[in-house]
Amino acid sequence: MQIDTSCFVGHNGEVSNLQTPTVRSAYMNCAAGAASVQSALIPYLMIKVSNLSKGYGPHTLLDDVSFNLHRKEKLGIIGRNGYGKSTLLRMIGSKEQPDSGQIVLPKDYRIGELEQHIRFSQTTVRDEACLGLRTDEQNATWKAEMILSGLGFSTDDFARDPHEFSGGYQIRINLAKLLLSEPDLLLLDEPTNYLDILSLRWLERFLQRWPGEFILVTHDRSFMDRVTTHTMAIHRKKLRKLKGTVDDVLGQIAQEEYVHEQTRIATEKKKAKNEKFIREFRAGARSAGLVQSRIKMLEKLETPAELEKIAEIRFRFESLPFYGGVMLAAHSLGFRYQADTPLIDGCDLSIYPGDRIGIIGEDGGLFAVNVVDDFGAIKLIIYGKVVARSRGFLLQFSRVFVNQ
């Protein structure tokens, strides 16, 4: 940031001598003011990643990449499976070491990471969640209950043994402990995988109000766009970060690669044209100067490398034409694992050709001990009437008991 020296211009139009004590003091005060303005304009740097490389055997994930994370930035990371998103989070969280490069953090900067492994030491969900509370908030059980409620636990669940819950709910307990620990930086690797729509909305509001920084990896792009301020893509072993949404980053990458390819094509055409000129006029004495000029031009002409084609995954669902009016009709449909605990009861549903149906709702919160009998067999009870039509055949069942 430049300092305006006009306040030190004398009557003769020349800058005053800064060696003069009075003028030097005034100049230094102005410089200090300018520096303070500059520091106010530049966000505080929280994480500095420089020249980072990481690979496993012959497979390179990240090649000499760098990026910064500033204060209050909420960063979403995108990239294909196996591109190094989770590996990058583990390196930031010191769970893995880079092959080269460095990650610089502020002193006493606290990082919290969503733990995917289940290690419970307490006998109740409430007590297990309270392990995440900060030292000065050990008695703030209301905080633990508030976050557990947001993540889909009922009041009765607080006193249950955490080992009784399904794997998805056990991950939610780990998420609750992480949020209660209130670190400076949250590292969230696929936190939405085990959430139903209600707890997902709660987490969205929580992260939107998060006062610090977080780095998020998720395949739910709409969720990422709603909670993050910046998006960073891992692409061709490099990083591309900008302020904006997933589509903003992908659009920028597509535009840059289009320009790169067009530049490569234009350069190759120019190179071929010059090579043709050299071949045709190399023997002519009168054109010797022009030929030498074209040769020097070719030596300096650098052709951008052709971008490697990235394999795309394509799939489709095979289907047959359907000419009926109703594909499936369900009447008084029910489903339960135990006679006194219905999950679905009295459900009527009709499916018509061309329907696209999404099913939402709270997770059942079932305990594994309730769906397996003494011999390890899964107990199912399905009842009601379902009529389905397929290729002219009528499929129907009514009140079926399954024990397998």
Side-chain angles (χ1 to χ4, degrees):
M1 185 173 185
Q2 294 183 344
I3 301 172
D4 185 3
T5 58
S6 60
C7 55
F8 306 110
V9 176
H11 296 293
N12 57 0
E14 297 179 354
V15 178
S16 299
N17 184 1
L18 295 181
Q19 298 303 318
T20 305
T22 303
V23 176
R24 184 171 65 250
S25 175
Y27 181 87
M28 295 304 295
N29 289 337
C30 184
S36 64
V37 171
Q38 183 181 24
S39 63
L41 294 175
I42 300 176
Y44 290 109
L45 183 62
M46 295 291 102
I47 297 179
K48 184 176 181 61
V49 176
S50 304
N51 308 115
L52 197 72
S53 294
K54 181 65 176 180
Y56 297 98
H59 183 52
T60 301
L61 295 178
L62 301 169
D63 182 20
D64 194 30
V65 300
S66 302
F67 77 95
N68 297 329
L69 184 75
H70 295 94
R71 185 179 182 184
K72 295 188 177 181
E73 279 189 0
K74 299 172 173 62
L75 178 64
I77 301 180
I78 62 173
R80 296 193 175 196
N81 289 338
Y83 269 32
K85 303 184 296 295
S86 298
T87 299
L88 180 57
L89 260 60
R90 289 196 295 270
M91 287 190 291
I92 294 174
S94 299
K95 296 292 181 65
E96 286 197 34
Q97 296 301 315
D99 297 334
S100 61
Q102 61 178 352
I103 301 174
V104 180
L105 306 173
K107 184 179 180 180
D108 299 326
Y109 191 66
R110 298 173 60 245
I111 296 178
E113 187 173 0
L114 177 57
E115 183 61 58
Q116 300 291 338
H117 300 288
I118 307 302
R119 299 185 187 91
F120 296 145
S121 60
Q122 303 300 306
T123 57
T124 68
V125 170
R126 182 193 293 108
D127 290 344
E128 185 66 34
C130 285
L131 294 178
L133 288 168
R134 301 176 66 162
T135 305
D136 56 345
E137 294 183 331
Q138 289 299 306
N139 295 323
T141 56
W142 62 271
K143 274 191 173 183
E145 293 176 354
M146 179 186 68
I147 288 182
L148 288 169
S149 297
L151 293 176
F153 291 89
S154 67
T155 303
D156 293 338
D157 292 336
F158 296 162
R160 292 185 176 274
D161 190 321
H163 293 95
E164 294 180 348
F165 287 83
S166 65
Y169 270 81
Q170 290 178 340
I171 294 295
R172 295 190 195 194
I173 297 173
N174 283 347
L175 179 57
K177 290 195 290 186
L178 171 63
L179 300 181
L180 285 166
S181 67
E182 299 180 356
D184 299 303
L185 172 69
L186 288 173
L187 297 179
L188 300 170
D189 192 358
E190 299 289 358
T192 62
N193 278 0
Y194 304 98
L195 302 182
D196 57 31
I197 190 168
L198 297 178
S199 53
L200 188 65
R201 288 175 176 172
W202 179 87
L203 181 62
E204 178 182 324
R205 293 191 295 269
F206 185 94
L207 293 179
Q208 287 171 343
R209 298 191 298 265
W210 181 254
E213 300 80 51
F214 67 73
I215 301 178
L216 169 69
V217 172
T218 178
H219 290 289
D220 189 338
R221 292 186 176 184
S222 59
F223 177 83
M224 179 179 287
D225 286 344
R226 290 193 296 269
V227 301
T228 58
T229 60
H230 295 69
T231 307
M232 183 169 70
I234 301 179
H235 184 67
R236 300 187 186 279
K237 305 173 186 177
K238 300 293 185 181
L239 300 179
R240 188 70 171 88
K241 177 192 172 189
L242 56 79
K243 185 174 183 179
T245 65
V246 172
D247 286 340
D248 292 335
V249 175
L250 295 180
Q252 183 68 27
I253 290 174
Q255 178 65 23
E256 290 173 356
E257 295 201 343
Y258 173 80
V259 172
H260 177 96
E261 187 64 12
Q262 293 301 308
T263 302
R264 183 187 66 81
I265 294 173
T267 303
E268 288 184 346
K269 288 181 178 179
K270 185 176 181 180
K271 186 176 181 179
K273 183 178 179 180
N274 285 317
E275 288 174 344
K276 181 180 179 182
F277 179 88
I278 293 170
R279 287 194 305 269
E280 292 179 353
F281 297 97
R282 182 184 294 273
R286 298 179 60 182
S287 305
L290 291 175
V291 170
Q292 289 301 317
S293 176
R294 296 294 179 95
I295 292 175
K296 291 181 180 180
M297 183 185 299
L298 278 178
E299 292 174 350
K300 296 179 180 179
L301 194 60
E302 295 184 3
T303 304
E306 184 175 2
L307 295 176
E308 181 183 354
K309 291 185 178 180
I310 299 176
E312 295 185 0
I313 300 176
R314 296 182 180 273
F315 64 91
R316 65 178 181 178
F317 296 105
E318 297 290 346
S319 63
L320 295 172
F322 182 82
Y323 303 105
V326 181
M327 297 193 72
L328 183 144
H331 306 285
S332 302
L333 187 66
F335 175 83
R336 63 185 65 179
Y337 283 107
Q338 287 191 344
D340 58 346
T341 313
L343 291 180
I344 301 174
D345 190 33
C347 174
D348 295 326
L349 173 68
S350 295
I351 300 178
Y352 300 94
D355 281 356
R356 304 290 189 269
I357 300 174
I359 301 177
I360 63 174
E362 292 186 69
D363 285 349
L366 293 172
F367 309 113
V369 295
N370 286 342
V371 301
V372 179
D373 63 16
D374 295 337
F375 301 97
I378 299 175
K379 300 177 293 185
L380 307 176
I381 302 175
I382 305 172
Y383 54 92
K385 182 178 181 181
V386 177
V387 178
R389 298 181 182 274
S390 175
R391 301 184 65 182
F393 295 96
L394 178 65
L395 309 176
Q396 177 175 330
F397 74 84
S398 178
R399 192 165 184 81
V400 178
F401 294 84
V402 182
N403 186 7
Q404 61 182 20

